[in-house]
Amino acid sequence: MTSKKTRRFEDVRPGEALPELAIPITVPLIAGGAIATRDYFPGHHDAEAARALGSPHIFMNILTTSGLVQRYAESWAGPGARFGALKIKLGAPNYPGDTMTFSGEVSVCDADRRSVEITLKGKNSMGNHVTGTVALVLP
Amino acid sequence: MAEQDWMSEVRAMVGREYGRVCAWDEVNAPMIRQWCEMMGVDNPLYTDAAYAASTEYGAIVSPPAMLQAWCLEGLHPNNYPPGSTTENPYEVLRLLESHGFKSVVAVNSDLSFERYVKVGERLYYTTRLDAVGEEKTTALGTGFFVTLIMSFFSEKPTGDEKVGELLFRVFKFRPANVQAAEAPKVEMVQKIKRPKPGVSDDTRFFWDGVAAGKLLIQRCKSCGTLRHPPGPVCVKCHSFEWDTVEASGAGSIHSFVVMHYPEVPPFDHPNPVGLIELDEGVRLVAGLVGAKRNEIAIGQRVQVEFQSFDDGELTLPLFRPVAP
């Protein structure tokens, strides 16, 4: 069982800001995240291969970014929230040594479906690594 | 611009549908647990069987963001499980590769979910090549945005059920700069610095003044007219003789712009920039700091302050709203 509470639809207002979440970007997170998502593209775990592709170091794969976005939205909403959509666009790459800080706000509340949309971004030292939206159905 | 003739082959592929690509493994708890460990996801719905049993699913489900991962081929490229199509849903990428667009980067991942999938379900997806854009040049290089739409299904004896969809867009490109393999190891990410002004013999006095905490304005020695931006000759009397006066730094916003898009690091976002009319009578363009949105208005009084950036490499005059 979990002691964590899930936000109820009635408790959420459009414009409400989510607390920021800072995620240190490390070699284990990038390489481990790629393997955990079954992505063996060399640029995500082999620094030499990444450099040959024009990158200074290994870079995070998009499936890990999606996973971190899920974590950010879910850690705010609680375990009973249900994802309807998770849509992201990538910008600046995540390289080891950087920090990505998520911020977001509730952009839409749909009372008929008890659904909220969160608009979020994950920013690193080079700009936005990810921007996107998450649709959640709340109890 | 006319396209290369081989592009007609690429264009002809758009709209093509490709058969199923199966998952190597059924949805299973160990792979889910490892995914949650890496991502830092702590929802017990994915890892705690007792908690999951108490939910509407009655069993552990896959984290929704894991949907695509179930059907990836793994270590060996294009090694799909038995039952998968023998066509290559990514043939368009191979074709672009054969014409020199060798690099690829994922740009969009739009997942939508019909329902969550439980441990024990077996997934597959079908693919439609949705679009190939015009040739574009980005910071990475020159190439094409390719959009694929994948529909994910769960195999059921009574008829397969659609569980979700993924719009996946990649940029297939020829890299603009390939780093040498022996390039120095990058230990830390290079922080993006503020662009520095171009300093000439005409403008050096201004930037030297700023570095010393003074806002210096050029003055004609013959007729006393102030001018900014700096230049070699007085626009009024055409004299080449000049000196400077130190401005008080007080002024008002004559005009302004607030940059919202694109978000350009390392500047503030949004980024307000003012055309400041100094009390001495000349105008200059400078960043606005500490300004609430309602304070950024024509006529708003401002005062200069000098801020140091990038470990003292650069000092800039910026303007902060003050009470009238």
Side-chain angles (χ1 to χ4, degrees):
Chain A
M1 293 301 286
T2 179
S3 56
K4 281 191 149 185
K5 285 228 170 72
T6 301
R7 264 164 221 277
R8 295 187 55 77
F9 178 81
E10 286 77 14
D11 300 336
V12 177
R13 294 281 170 274
E16 177 177 342
L18 277 65
E20 291 193 345
L21 174 65
I23 296 180
I25 307 303
T26 62
V27 169
L29 176 61
I30 295 171
I35 304 309
T37 54
R38 295 203 31 87
D39 185 348
Y40 288 78
F41 178 72
H44 305 314
H45 63 259
D46 179 343
E48 293 293 312
R51 277 195 279 274
L53 292 167
S55 295
H57 207 316
I58 61 169
F59 48 96
M60 184 174 283
N61 71 330
I62 196 165
L63 281 82
T64 298
T65 304
S66 288
L68 296 174
V69 167
Q70 176 181 331
R71 167 182 162 186
Y72 180 58
E74 204 165 28
S75 63
W76 169 79
R82 300 292 177 250
F83 286 78
L86 192 162
K87 301 184 177 185
I88 61 169
K89 180 170 191 276
L90 291 192
N94 266 343
Y95 294 124
D98 210 339
T99 298
M100 175 171 65
T101 302
F102 277 116
S103 58
E105 65 170 43
V106 177
S107 42
V108 178
C109 291
D110 178 349
D112 292 339
R113 302 174 52 229
R114 299 186 70 81
S115 169
V116 299
E117 184 188 80
I118 297 164
T119 299
L120 55 86
K121 61 183 177 184
K123 191 174 186 173
N124 64 27
S125 68
M126 292 180 293
N128 284 329
H129 166 68
V130 57
T131 52
T133 59
V134 168
L136 295 171
V137 175
L138 298 179
Chain B
M1 192 179 68
E3 291 195 321
Q4 305 272 0
D5 52 357
W6 55 266
M7 270 305 287
S8 58
E9 200 182 336
V10 170
R11 298 276 169 226
M13 289 179 180
V14 174
R16 194 173 291 181
E17 312 236 2
Y18 299 87
R20 65 176 66 182
V21 173
C22 301
W24 274 109
D25 300 287
E26 61 182 34
V27 175
N28 67 84
M31 286 171 71
I32 292 173
R33 197 202 62 74
Q34 291 179 54
W35 185 94
C36 289
E37 181 180 315
M38 278 320 306
M39 301 304 159
V41 166
D42 62 359
N43 188 341
L45 177 61
Y46 313 126
T47 51
D48 181 338
Y51 172 81
S54 75
T55 67
E56 70 268 39
Y57 306 116
I60 284 178
V61 295
S62 166
M66 234 185 131
L67 183 63
Q68 188 188 7
W70 292 113
C71 296
L72 290 190
E73 66 264 49
L75 178 60
H76 304 292
N78 305 313
N79 177 33
Y80 293 102
S84 300
T85 176
T86 52
E87 310 163 307
N88 188 329
Y90 308 103
E91 62 180 356
V92 67
L93 301 182
R94 284 189 173 175
L95 183 57
L96 289 169
E97 228 164 81
S98 71
H99 290 283
F101 300 91
K102 293 198 188 304
S103 293
V104 68
V105 64
V107 183
N108 292 79
S109 162
D110 289 1
L111 282 162
S112 51
F113 311 105
E114 307 264 330
R115 65 168 175 85
Y116 281 21
V117 292
K118 284 194 242 186
V119 163
E121 291 194 76
R122 196 166 268 283
L123 305 182
Y124 68 87
Y125 69 87
T126 59
T127 309
R128 182 165 60 85
L129 174 59
D130 185 59
V132 178
E134 303 295 310
E135 187 175 297
K136 288 255 167 68
T137 298
T138 75
L140 288 171
T142 298
F144 299 88
F145 287 94
V146 176
T147 306
L148 300 162
I149 293 180
M150 304 166 194
S151 299
F152 286 80
F153 297 87
S154 175
E155 288 179 22
K156 296 282 172 197
T158 50
D160 299 347
E161 291 172 16
K162 188 170 179 186
V163 296
E165 194 172 275
L166 170 63
L167 178 153
F168 202 68
R169 185 174 294 129
V170 299
F171 185 50
K172 191 77 186 132
F173 65 102
R174 193 183 280 136
N177 63 325
V178 177
Q179 314 246 330
E182 66 273 20
K185 209 174 166 187
V186 181
E187 292 296 344
M188 289 290 290
V189 173
Q190 293 282 305
K191 232 179 138 57
I192 293 196
K193 293 180 177 179
R194 291 241 171 186
K196 290 189 182 143
V199 177
S200 70
D201 287 346
D202 289 329
T203 62
R204 184 166 294 108
F205 79 92
F206 180 82
W207 295 108
D208 286 348
V210 166
K214 292 177 181 171
L215 193 60
L216 298 180
I217 304 298
Q218 210 174 17
R219 175 175 60 186
C220 174
K221 263 181 151 174
S222 303
C223 71
T225 302
L226 298 178
R227 61 179 189 260
H228 188 90
V233 67
C234 176
V235 290
K236 204 157 187 184
C237 74
H238 301 168
S239 166
F240 283 88
E241 299 300 312
W242 58 270
D243 62 4
T244 61
V245 288
E246 185 179 348
S248 68
S252 55
I253 296 178
H254 181 76
S255 185
F256 65 90
V257 63
V258 181
M259 274 266 294
H260 285 270
Y261 188 87
E263 186 172 343
V264 181
F267 297 98
D268 291 342
H269 179 79
N271 181 20
V273 179
L275 176 62
I276 309 301
E277 178 150 311
L278 296 176
D279 287 353
E280 288 79 4
V282 295
R283 293 174 193 155
L284 74 158
V285 175
L288 297 168
V289 285
K292 297 188 192 79
R293 184 60 190 87
N294 63 352
E295 290 175 327
I296 305 173
I298 290 169
Q300 167 70 43
R301 293 294 294 168
V302 290
Q303 176 66 40
V304 77
E305 65 180 46
F306 297 92
Q307 276 192 18
S308 167
F309 295 94
D310 303 323
D311 300 322
E313 279 180 31
L314 177 67
T315 303
L316 290 175
L318 302 172
F319 285 82
R320 183 182 290 275
V322 290

